[in-house]
């Protein structure tokens, strides 16, 4: 009997996220060590926590492994500085965020009944189904609210 699969997404609870980070980091470091011993592979692992702490493992020197990597990739002379790498990373993240914002804005427009001409029949049916489910939940909540007010005898708030 194995463990169930988990959905890979950001853990919202900070305590759980920190515990998971520590456990998985230790597991990753152990796997790197095992790989280097069992297969005589040159391994270098560098992990930065979200707080900026550095964790590393290398069966050789990390610097030597990075230099070897650069030579192998042909980047020996054109290696990115840390600030250039950070800039590139944040530009990519910004681009992803802009795409997500655009998707959410389009979805919101569709829910408001705008910009529907670009949707297929299947997409329109899915949207209609989502809206009907939402209306059903709203009506149910409204009825429950009215019943609570009625049972409490607060008729003035109902009208």
């Amino acid at each position: 009997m194995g463990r169930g699969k988990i959905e890979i997404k950001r853990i919202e609870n900070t305590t759980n996220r920190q515990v998971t980070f520590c456990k998985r980091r230790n597991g990753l470091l152990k796997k790197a060590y095992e790989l280097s011993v069992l297969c005589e592979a040159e391994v270098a692992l560098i992990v930065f926590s979200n707080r900026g702490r550095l964790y590393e493992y290398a069966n050789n020197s990390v610097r030597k492994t990075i230099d070897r990597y650069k030579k192998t990739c042909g980047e020996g002379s054109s290696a990115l500085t840390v600030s250039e790498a950070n800039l590139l990373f944040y530009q990519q993240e910004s681009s992803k965020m802009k795409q997500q914002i655009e998707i959410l804005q389009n979805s919101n427009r569709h829910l408001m009944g705008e910009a529907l001409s670009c949707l297929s029949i299947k997409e329109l049916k899915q949207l209609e189904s989502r809206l009907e489910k939402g209306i059903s939940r709203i009506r149910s909540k409204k009825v429950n609210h009215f019943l609570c007010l009625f049972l409490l005898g607060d008729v003035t708030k109902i009208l």
Side-chain angles (χ1 to χ4, degrees), residues 42-55:
E42 185 175 348
V43 177
L45 173 67
I46 301 170
V47 178
F48 286 99
S49 72
N50 62 346
R51 295 180 180 162
R53 291 192 185 118
L54 168 67
Y55 302 93

Side-chain angles (χ1 to χ4, degrees), residues 15-134:
T15 304
N16 292 348
R17 186 171 54 240
Q18 185 62 33
V19 168
T20 300
F21 174 79
C22 289
K23 286 182 179 180
R24 288 190 174 233
R25 180 200 66 221
N26 291 338
L28 188 60
L29 291 168
K30 181 180 176 185
K31 291 287 185 188
Y33 166 74
E34 291 171 354
L35 182 64
S36 69
V37 171
L38 293 172
C39 303
E40 293 184 7
E42 185 175 348
V43 177
L45 173 67
I46 301 170
V47 178
F48 286 99
S49 72
N50 62 346
R51 295 180 180 162
R53 291 192 185 118
L54 168 67
Y55 302 93
E56 63 181 334
Y57 167 79
N59 61 338
N60 229 344
S61 159
V62 174
R63 176 66 61 201
K64 286 180 185 176
T65 306
I66 291 172
D67 289 340
R68 183 175 174 192
Y69 170 77
K70 287 178 183 176
K71 287 176 188 173
T72 303
C73 292
E75 295 180 5
S77 60
S78 64
L80 295 175
T81 65
V82 173
S83 60
E84 290 171 333
N86 283 339
L87 178 64
L88 183 62
F89 171 76
Y90 287 117
Q91 285 174 339
Q92 291 170 345
E93 286 296 307
S94 172
S95 176
K96 288 178 191 175
M97 291 290 195
K98 285 177 184 176
Q99 287 175 342
Q100 287 179 336
I101 289 169
E102 188 174 326
I103 290 168
L104 290 171
Q105 286 175 335
N106 283 336
S107 178
N108 191 38
R109 279 190 208 100
H110 297 324
L111 289 171
M112 298 301 292
E114 301 169 2
L116 299 176
S117 61
C118 62
L119 297 179
S120 68
I121 296 295
K122 183 180 178 182
E123 291 170 326
L124 286 170
K125 285 182 180 179
Q126 289 173 342
L127 179 60
E128 182 181 29
S129 175
R130 286 178 58 201
L131 287 169
E132 285 173 351
K133 287 178 186 174

